[in-house]
Amino acid sequence: MTLMEFFGCTFIAFGPPLAMFLFTIARDPLRVIVLIASGFFWLLSLLTSSLLWFAVVPLKDQLAFGMVFSVFFQEGFRFLFYKLLRKADDGLQKVSQVTEADHVAPKDISNKHIMAYVSGLGFGILSGAFSIVNVLADMAGPGTIGIFGDSQYFFLASAFLTLCFIMLHTFWGVLFFNGLDKKRYWMVVYVVLTHLMVSCLTLLNKQPNPMYLASIIPGYLVLVVCGVMAFFVAGGSLYNIRAAFICRKGRASGQSEQ
């Protein structure tokens, strides 16, 4: 039973991000490099927050303390990665190929929203992997979930929260970079505050009386809002959605006629 739930929770947490990687990043070496580099910066933020947690001995047992400073460190390293990308723009333009055969699109460099999306996804994938890998490892063995009185929804809730944070990091990356590019600093503050809020909501999942819905529902509401904001910030519009829908409908009708 646990093995089946292991695969189910794995696909819930990493299915959509894997699809995003395969369809939008995997064929472009430049995007893959940016994805890996952004994941490395997230690892640096984890290392920094771990050093702080290790140094402040009296507050080691206070989960909220480590979580709050972890959020600040993550956003701080997101800012550092933003500065690195902007400094590297000229160099990336020089090393990128102009031929489509190499699957490198120089226009990706000038389109800053693409780089923001890729870096946000890199942050999210590493964040999700470190948050759920131990949970998945415990889930892989034989057993019956909840047999000792623990909540049987723990693994499922962990998977949905992991997916939520991966997607949020992707949208936060777009909003954060755009806020700095356009000097809309309220957008940067919004990213930090929503990151802090959603992270603190996970404290409601502590045993022995976890409240999973109290963290999952608000988290996904924030996800929807951030997704809509990122869509319009990246140049999307209702006209684009309508045009895409009409185009897809036309293709479907053409295939049915054939």
Side-chain angles (χ1 to χ4, degrees):
M1 177 179 177
T2 52
L3 188 60
M4 290 188 292
E5 188 156 3
F6 166 81
F7 284 107
C9 291
T10 301
F11 293 143
I12 288 173
F14 295 107
L18 177 62
M20 293 165 65
F21 171 78
L22 292 176
F23 289 110
T24 64
I25 296 176
R27 288 177 56 83
D28 190 327
L30 183 60
R31 297 184 191 182
V32 174
I33 292 172
V34 173
L35 181 82
I36 296 173
S38 64
F40 175 72
F41 269 70
W42 186 90
L43 288 176
L44 291 178
S45 73
L46 178 64
L47 174 63
T48 308
S49 58
S50 300
L51 291 175
L52 178 66
W53 175 84
F54 185 78
V56 186
V57 178
L59 296 176
K60 275 189 175 182
D61 296 332
Q62 302 298 322
L63 184 59
F65 166 78
M67 178 175 294
V68 169
F69 277 92
S70 177
V71 170
F72 288 137
F73 282 129
Q74 288 179 56
E75 297 304 330
F77 275 90
R78 195 195 303 274
F79 174 75
L80 293 178
F81 189 69
Y82 162 83
K83 299 296 288 185
L84 177 66
L85 274 184
R86 294 300 174 260
K87 290 288 185 181
D89 278 349
D90 294 337
L92 291 174
Q93 289 177 0
K94 291 179 181 179
V95 302
S96 59
Q97 302 295 322
V98 296
T99 58
E100 295 183 359
D102 293 324
H103 303 297
V104 178
K107 63 183 181 180
D108 288 357
I109 303 169
S110 60
N111 190 342
K112 297 179 180 180
H113 298 306
I114 294 179
M115 291 295 109
Y117 157 76
V118 174
S119 64
L121 185 59
F123 260 66
I125 290 175
L126 263 293
S127 172
F130 272 80
S131 65
I132 202 174
V133 65
N134 290 332
V135 176
L136 293 176
D138 292 337
M139 195 190 309
T144 301
I145 299 173
I147 193 172
F148 294 113
D150 297 324
S151 175
Q152 60 181 332
Y153 302 111
F154 169 72
F155 295 119
L156 195 61
S158 299
F160 276 107
L161 280 174
T162 299
L163 174 62
C164 180
F165 271 98
I166 294 175
M167 301 303 294
L168 276 173
H169 271 292
T170 305
F171 299 145
W172 284 333
V174 176
L175 297 175
F176 193 93
F177 281 33
N178 182 262
L180 293 175
D181 285 334
K182 301 294 182 60
K183 300 187 184 303
R184 300 173 181 173
Y185 298 116
W186 66 267
M187 199 172 291
V188 177
V189 175
Y190 172 80
V191 169
V192 176
L193 291 180
T194 51
H195 191 176
L196 191 62
M197 182 189 74
V198 178
S199 297
C200 289
L201 283 173
T202 60
L203 295 173
L204 299 174
N205 298 335
K206 292 173 61 177
Q207 301 292 338
N209 296 311
M211 295 183 288
Y212 296 125
L213 290 180
S215 60
I216 292 176
I217 294 177
Y220 274 88
L221 289 176
V222 174
L223 174 63
V224 171
V225 174
C226 289
V228 172
M229 291 177 63
F231 173 76
F232 286 106
V233 158
S237 65
L238 295 177
Y239 175 79
N240 298 138
I241 299 176
R242 184 171 178 271
F245 178 76
I246 294 175
C247 181
R248 179 174 297 182
K249 186 177 180 181
R251 290 179 180 177
S253 61
Q255 292 176 356
S256 61
E257 290 176 359
Q258 293 178 357

